[in-house]
Coordinates of all heavy atoms in Angstrom, one line a residue:
S1 N 88.7 90.3 129.6 CA 88.7 90.2 131.0 C 89.9 89.0 131.4 O 90.2 88.3 130.5 CB 87.4 89.6 131.5 OG 86.4 90.5 131.3
A2 N 90.4 89.3 132.6 CA 91.4 88.2 133.0 C 90.8 86.9 133.0 O 89.6 86.6 133.3 CB 91.9 88.7 134.4
P3 N 91.7 85.8 132.7 CA 93.0 85.9 132.5 C 93.4 86.1 131.1 O 94.8 86.1 130.8 CB 93.4 84.5 133.1 CG 92.2 83.7 132.6 CD 91.1 84.4 132.8
K4 N 92.5 86.4 130.2 CA 92.9 86.6 128.8 C 93.7 87.9 128.7 O 93.5 88.9 129.5 CB 91.6 86.6 127.9 CG 90.9 85.4 127.8 CD 89.8 85.5 126.9 CE 89.0 84.2 126.7 NZ 87.7 84.4 125.8
T5 N 94.4 87.9 127.7 CA 95.0 89.2 127.2 C 94.9 89.5 125.7 O 94.6 88.5 125.0 CB 96.6 89.2 127.6 OG1 97.3 88.3 126.7 CG2 96.8 89.0 129.1
L6 N 95.1 90.6 125.2 CA 95.0 90.9 123.8 C 96.3 90.5 123.0 O 96.2 90.5 121.8 CB 94.9 92.4 123.6 CG 93.5 93.1 124.1 CD1 93.5 94.6 124.0 CD2 92.3 92.4 123.4
S7 N 97.2 89.9 123.7 CA 98.4 89.3 123.1 C 98.2 87.8 122.8 O 99.0 87.2 122.0 CB 99.7 89.4 123.9 OG 99.9 90.8 124.1
G8 N 97.1 87.3 123.3 CA 96.8 85.9 122.9 C 96.6 85.7 121.5 O 96.1 86.6 120.7
T9 N 96.8 84.6 120.9 CA 96.8 84.3 119.5 C 95.4 84.6 118.8 O 95.3 85.4 117.9 CB 97.2 82.8 119.2 OG1 98.5 82.5 119.7 CG2 97.2 82.7 117.6
S10 N 94.4 84.1 119.4 CA 93.1 84.3 118.8 C 92.6 85.7 119.0 O 92.1 86.3 118.1 CB 92.1 83.2 119.5 OG 91.9 83.5 120.9
E11 N 92.8 86.3 120.2 CA 92.5 87.6 120.5 C 93.1 88.6 119.5 O 92.5 89.5 119.0 CB 92.8 88.0 121.9 CG 91.9 87.4 122.9 CD 92.4 86.0 123.3 OE1 93.4 85.5 122.9 OE2 91.5 85.3 123.9
R12 N 94.5 88.4 119.3 CA 95.2 89.3 118.4 C 94.7 89.2 117.0 O 94.5 90.2 116.3 CB 96.8 89.0 118.5 CG 97.6 89.9 117.5 CD 98.9 90.0 118.1 NE 99.7 91.0 117.2 CZ 100.9 91.4 117.5 NH1 101.5 91.1 118.7 NH2 101.6 92.3 116.7
Q13 N 94.4 88.0 116.5 CA 94.0 87.7 115.3 C 92.6 88.5 115.1 O 92.2 89.1 114.0 CB 93.8 86.3 114.9 CG 95.1 85.5 114.7 CD 94.9 84.1 114.5 OE1 93.9 83.5 114.8 NE2 96.0 83.3 114.1
G14 N 91.7 88.4 116.1 CA 90.4 89.1 116.0 C 90.6 90.6 116.0 O 89.9 91.3 115.2
V15 N 91.5 91.1 116.8 CA 91.7 92.6 116.7 C 92.3 93.1 115.4 O 91.8 94.0 114.8 CB 92.7 93.0 117.9 CG1 93.1 94.5 117.6 CG2 92.2 92.8 119.3
E16 N 93.2 92.3 114.8 CA 93.9 92.6 113.6 C 92.9 92.6 112.4 O 92.9 93.3 111.5 CB 95.1 91.8 113.3 CG 96.2 92.1 114.3 CD 97.5 91.4 114.0 OE1 97.3 90.2 113.3 OE2 98.7 91.7 114.5
A17 N 92.0 91.5 112.5 CA 91.0 91.5 111.6 C 90.0 92.5 111.5 O 89.6 93.0 110.5 CB 90.1 90.1 111.7
T18 N 89.8 93.0 112.7 CA 88.9 94.3 112.7 C 89.6 95.6 112.2 O 88.9 96.3 111.6 CB 88.5 94.5 114.4 OG1 87.7 93.4 114.9 CG2 87.8 95.9 114.4
L19 N 90.9 95.6 112.6 CA 91.7 96.7 111.9 C 91.7 96.6 110.5 O 91.6 97.7 109.8 CB 93.0 96.7 112.5 CG 93.2 96.9 114.0 CD1 94.7 96.7 114.5 CD2 92.6 98.3 114.5
T20 N 91.9 95.4 109.9 CA 91.8 95.3 108.5 C 90.5 95.7 107.9 O 90.5 96.5 106.8 CB 92.1 93.8 108.1 OG1 93.4 93.5 108.5 CG2 92.0 93.7 106.6
R21 N 89.5 95.3 108.5 CA 88.1 95.8 108.2 C 88.0 97.2 108.0 O 87.3 97.9 107.2 CB 87.0 95.0 109.0 CG 85.6 95.6 108.6 CD 84.6 94.8 109.5 NE 84.5 93.4 109.2 CZ 83.4 92.7 109.5 NH1 82.5 93.2 110.3 NH2 83.3 91.4 109.1
L22 N 88.6 97.9 109.1 CA 88.4 99.4 109.2 C 89.2 100.0 108.2 O 88.8 101.0 107.6 CB 88.8 99.8 110.7 CG 88.0 99.6 111.7 CD1 88.7 99.8 113.1 CD2 86.9 100.5 111.7
R23 N 90.4 99.5 107.8 CA 91.2 100.1 106.7 C 90.5 100.1 105.4 O 90.8 100.9 104.5 CB 92.4 99.3 106.7 CG 93.4 99.6 107.9 CD 94.8 99.1 107.7 NE 95.6 99.3 108.8 CZ 95.8 98.3 109.8 NH1 95.3 97.1 109.7 NH2 96.5 98.6 110.9
H24 N 89.6 99.1 105.2 CA 88.9 99.1 103.9 C 87.5 99.6 103.9 O 86.6 99.6 103.1 CB 88.7 97.6 103.6 CG 90.0 96.9 103.1 ND1 90.8 96.2 104.1 CD2 90.7 96.8 102.0 CE1 92.0 95.8 103.4 NE2 91.8 96.1 102.1
A25 N 87.1 100.2 105.2 CA 85.8 100.9 105.3 C 85.8 102.2 104.5 O 86.9 102.9 104.2 CB 85.7 101.3 106.8
P26 N 84.6 102.6 104.1 CA 84.5 103.9 103.2 C 85.1 105.0 103.9 O 84.8 105.3 105.2 CB 82.9 104.0 103.2 CG 82.5 102.6 103.3 CD 83.2 102.0 104.3
Q27 N 85.7 105.9 103.2 CA 86.2 107.3 103.5 C 87.4 107.2 104.6 O 88.0 108.2 105.1 CB 85.1 108.1 104.1 CG 84.2 108.6 103.1 CD 83.1 109.4 103.6 OE1 82.1 109.0 104.1 NE2 83.3 110.7 103.6
V28 N 87.8 106.0 105.1 CA 88.9 105.9 106.1 C 90.2 106.1 105.3 O 90.5 105.5 104.3 CB 88.9 104.5 106.8 CG1 90.1 104.3 107.6 CG2 87.5 104.4 107.7
V29 N 91.0 107.0 105.9 CA 92.4 107.2 105.3 C 93.6 106.6 106.2 O 94.7 106.5 105.6 CB 92.7 108.7 105.2 CG1 91.7 109.3 104.0 CG2 92.5 109.5 106.5
F30 N 93.3 106.3 107.5 CA 94.3 105.8 108.3 C 93.7 105.1 109.5 O 92.8 105.5 110.2 CB 95.3 107.0 108.8 CG 96.3 106.5 109.8 CD1 97.4 105.8 109.3 CD2 96.1 106.8 111.1 CE1 98.4 105.4 110.2 CE2 97.1 106.4 112.0 CZ 98.3 105.7 111.6

């Protein structure tokens, strides 16, 4: 929600951490 954006340091780190977790999830290829 405003005024935050996904480009913020903590927000981006949280999103990328989730993406990393997904890449290591079972059966995920991409």
Side-chain angles (χ1 to χ4, degrees):
S1 302
K4 292 182 178 181
T5 68
L6 293 173
S7 298
T9 303
S10 60
E11 288 78 12
R12 180 159 184 163
Q13 289 177 347
V15 170
E16 290 180 342
T18 292
L19 297 177
T20 300
R21 176 177 288 194
L22 283 168
R23 292 188 182 98
H24 292 88
Q27 295 183 266
V28 172
V29 294
F30 174 76

